[in-house]
Amino acid sequence: MARTKEFNEDQALDKAIEIFWHKGYNGTSAQDLVNHLGLSRSSLYDTFGDKQKLFVKSLKRYQKQNLDSLNELFENAENIKTALTEIFKQAVIESLQDRITKGCFMVNSAVELAMHDPEIAKIVHDNQKVVEDIFCAAVKKGQDLGQISDRQEARSLARFIFNNYSGIRVLARAGEKDKQVYDDILKSIFALF
Amino acid sequence: MARTKEFNEDQALDKAIEIFWHKGYNGTSAQDLVNHLGLSRSSLYDTFGDKQKLFVKSLKRYQKQNLDSLNELFENAENIKTALTEIFKQAVIESLQDRITKGCFMVNSAVELAMHDPEIAKIVHDNQKVVEDIFCAAVKKGQDLGQISDRQEARSLARFIFNNYSGIRVLARAGEKDKQVYDDILKSIFALF
DNA sequence: AAAAATACGGAACAATCGTTCCTGAATTAG
DNA sequence: CTAATTCAGGAACGATTGTTCCGTATTTTT
């Protein structure tokens, strides 16, 4: 008996990801959301509750999207070391080409909010754990296949990779546009494998 | 013929650093500043102009303090590799012991503001350049003294070090309290030297 | 002592914040 | 058609935002 929803909730969430990613939580106003999502104030609050709930939902969706593509990458990878370089090279490409560089939504949120919002802190921490596990499994596989040096323990390498990924995303967020800087970092990172 | 200032401007700036570091720019209200600095609203605005100017002054002071201690560390260092490990170990100690972990004020500011405030972007970028140069000079010296492997170029290693330092500070800001995580990262980093 | 200058606390500002509510139009199912 | 539900738009909410201003107290210099 009801009118059907005219907007796609997931599409709206994708829009929310965009603007929260770009401006941060505190930097995004309710008016920004109305403008960017194309929803009315009322629809927005009826659908998502409030700003914090919308943010959490956006961040979780972003996380899922990234984890999915990360898993897919490693599943289809013949060479693990190549796959790892692809991840970093992709991050570099995004950092250089984005006219407005947004870095990583998860990293940005961790820095801005993890200390002050326990719910965000949990998401960030879970994400770290899961990504680390994915890296760790991949490294192990790579070591078994003789594609990655086993002079370092897989867990240790995984954490190291995660750390450098965060660093590069911060660099991007800070607006670094010199490809050589990224390439130098990558060169050092992969000297370890 | 004038009354003298009753508060120390530098001490007030140190207080401002504390609260901006903890809560971020957008997360810190004028009332927060009044409460934490112990100044009246009027004195605060008379002395520092406005919130943005106060933030810029705070960040610059923080930068100077850090650069000074960084330079001092390397000047007095007999062994460069040891000095580098000290820097990271110190960051880890701070990350673990701080009941409320604040990460690095410069990294936090880069993530929150560099995209949206050109003045902050310039500070962040300058800082990156200067720190990178300090690291680079130190690495070169270390390589000359045979304390650091010269399989990697100094500039590349310097950027790599900077990147990992950023990463660790993000990890701290995200609330990571597991020492093993940091130690694993450090182990990988210094396997390269 | 008089005059000049500054710090102070607090009132007050307009603007914006996130949020709620109301109205009327649109669309669906029975 | 009727009833039910959701839409959009905008008015309005109280709270908080960053900022300004004023009156008074305090201190310094002449």
Side-chain angles (χ1 to χ4, degrees), chain B:
Chain B
M1 313 182 184
R3 182 177 171 178
T4 56
K5 266 194 161 49
E6 293 193 1
F7 61 92
N8 183 303
E9 192 171 319
D10 282 341
Q11 286 178 0
L13 272 182
D14 285 335
K15 290 279 188 185
I17 290 175
E18 281 182 10
I19 192 158
F20 277 135
W21 190 353
H22 177 52
K23 294 193 161 194
Y25 179 80
N26 286 314
T28 303
S29 69
Q31 191 56 48
D32 287 334
L33 291 167
V34 169
N35 295 341
H36 198 78
L37 270 67
L39 299 186
S40 67
R41 258 179 162 64
S42 34
S43 299
L44 202 157
Y45 276 86
D46 283 350
T47 309
F48 298 107
D50 60 19
K51 184 181 165 185
Q52 197 267 358
K53 288 200 185 79
L54 173 57
F55 187 89
V56 167
K57 223 165 187 175
S58 303
L59 188 57
K60 283 184 176 172
R61 179 170 168 82
Y62 174 85
Q63 179 191 26
K64 177 166 167 33
Q65 289 171 348
N66 275 40
L67 288 180
D68 286 350
S69 72
L70 197 63
N71 277 318
E72 190 191 337
L73 180 78
F74 280 125
E75 280 171 15
N76 301 337
E78 297 182 5
N79 188 303
I80 298 293
K81 188 169 179 178
T82 308
L84 282 170
T85 61
E86 280 311 311
I87 291 173
F88 279 95
K89 280 184 181 171
Q90 188 56 37
V92 172
I93 288 171
E94 281 174 24
S95 305
L96 292 176
Q97 81 183 1
D98 274 8
R99 208 168 42 75
I100 44 167
T101 329
K102 295 180 295 187
C104 167
F105 187 26
M106 187 66 66
V107 170
N108 299 352
S109 303
V111 170
E112 184 186 4
L113 301 171
M115 286 188 60
H116 308 288
D117 184 328
E119 201 173 351
I120 303 291
K122 178 168 169 22
I123 296 174
V124 167
H125 222 258
D126 285 355
N127 182 256
Q128 182 191 325
K129 171 74 176 149
V130 174
V131 172
E132 191 187 298
D133 286 346
I134 294 175
F135 281 153
C136 188
V139 167
K140 265 187 189 140
K141 186 176 161 191
Q143 288 175 330
D144 288 343
L145 296 174
Q147 297 164 348
I148 292 181
S149 152
D150 55 1
R151 284 177 44 246
Q152 296 285 318
E153 289 171 29
R155 176 63 57 179
S156 181
L157 265 185
R159 286 168 172 167
F160 168 78
I161 293 166
F162 184 89
N163 197 57
N164 277 282
Y165 193 77
S166 295
I168 281 181
R169 294 310 212 134
V170 170
L171 210 54
R173 179 79 175 172
E176 180 61 65
K177 292 294 181 189
D178 183 350
K179 186 169 188 303
Q180 189 61 48
V181 172
Y182 295 99
D183 285 344
D184 278 352
I185 295 169
L186 264 54
K187 192 167 63 177
S188 293
I189 295 173
F190 285 99
L192 208 60
F193 293 176

Side-chain angles (χ1 to χ4, degrees), chain A residues 107-119:
Chain A
V107 170
N108 298 352
S109 302
V111 171
E112 184 185 5
L113 301 171
M115 287 189 59
H116 307 288
D117 185 326
E119 201 173 352

Side-chain angles (χ1 to χ4, degrees), chain A residues 7 19 21 31 34 48 66 72 76-77 80 93-94 113 123 129 138 150 166 172 179 185 188:
Chain A
F7 62 92
I19 191 156
W21 190 352
Q31 190 56 46
V34 169
F48 299 107
N66 275 42
E72 189 191 338
N76 302 338
I80 298 294
I93 288 171
E94 282 174 25
L113 301 171
I123 297 174
K129 171 74 178 150
D150 54 2
S166 295
K179 187 170 187 305
I185 294 169
S188 292

